Amino acid sequence: MDQAHAHHGHEHHEHGQEHGPHQHGHGGHNGHHATAGWGMAARATLHCLTGCAIGEVLGMIIGTALGWGNAPTMVLAIVLAFFFGYALTLRGVLAAGVDLRSAVRVALAADTLSIAVMELIDNGVIALWPGAMDAQLSDALFWAALAISLALAFVVTTPVNKWMIGRGKGHAVVHRYH
């Protein structure tokens, strides 16, 4: 990516300036990749949120159906959130023709921090919300706490993803395969 200036016939860009909507990273420019727009970060976070939400809800349903307590149900929900978060990324990377081993590496690199932050915020809110841990699937409190915790996780995780993408990490790695 260091050839970003090579295709320009003239050097009129200063370090740190934005280079338009389809910016490319500059390896030697403070290590920042200019593709780190808020839109891309929000899309990456929404992608992560989708996998996390599927895993969270499925984990809660399974744990509740099996009569498990709060701790094992939460652990299952977190494991499934990571699984579905990675699975959604894998689906897209594999569709781009990447072999399974490389696709798994891309998914792990792209999503681990994002899912971890999302799960920390999401489960932290539910754990601290009075009565949310004991709410049943049929309770409005369960769904309200889940919706608010996921929304808050989205708000907190989006800047994390923007920061990672700006450094060529996270979903910037996945973006190379689209």
Side-chain angles (χ1 to χ4, degrees):
M1 292 207 166
D2 287 339
Q3 72 264 27
H5 286 293
H7 69 277
H8 296 291
H10 47 297
E11 293 286 333
H12 65 277
H13 299 290
E14 296 295 322
H15 291 283
Q17 281 186 334
E18 305 243 345
H19 302 293
H22 300 289
Q23 301 154 356
H24 299 285
H26 305 280
H29 295 184
N30 301 326
H32 297 278
H33 292 79
T35 56
W38 284 106
M40 181 183 236
R43 284 188 300 278
T45 306
L46 186 58
H47 181 268
C48 178
L49 180 72
T50 302
C52 288
I54 292 168
E56 289 280 331
V57 173
L58 189 57
M60 297 294 179
I61 290 170
I62 293 170
T64 300
L66 296 176
W68 290 1
N70 289 337
T73 299
M74 185 177 275
V75 168
L76 178 62
I78 292 169
V79 168
L80 290 176
F82 273 90
F83 173 79
F84 283 100
Y86 290 139
L88 290 178
T89 297
L90 272 174
R91 191 187 88 209
V93 175
L94 288 170
V98 177
D99 66 279
L100 182 60
R101 174 179 243 162
S102 297
V104 167
R105 287 183 185 152
V106 168
L108 291 173
D111 290 337
T112 300
L113 181 60
S114 180
I115 295 171
V117 170
M118 191 160 288
E119 286 302 297
L120 180 68
I121 300 302
D122 174 40
N123 287 289
V125 168
I126 290 173
L128 295 174
W129 190 313
M133 289 293 291
D134 297 319
Q136 298 297 310
L137 295 174
S138 59
D139 295 337
L141 175 59
F142 172 85
W143 296 103
L146 182 63
I148 290 170
S149 69
L150 289 171
L152 185 58
F154 177 85
V155 169
V156 172
T157 307
T158 299
V160 172
N161 281 328
K162 184 178 185 308
W163 177 79
M164 288 175 51
I165 292 166
R167 279 140 189 82
K169 310 258 187 251
H171 272 261
V173 176
V174 174
H175 190 66
R176 293 177 197 145
Y177 297 100
H178 292 292

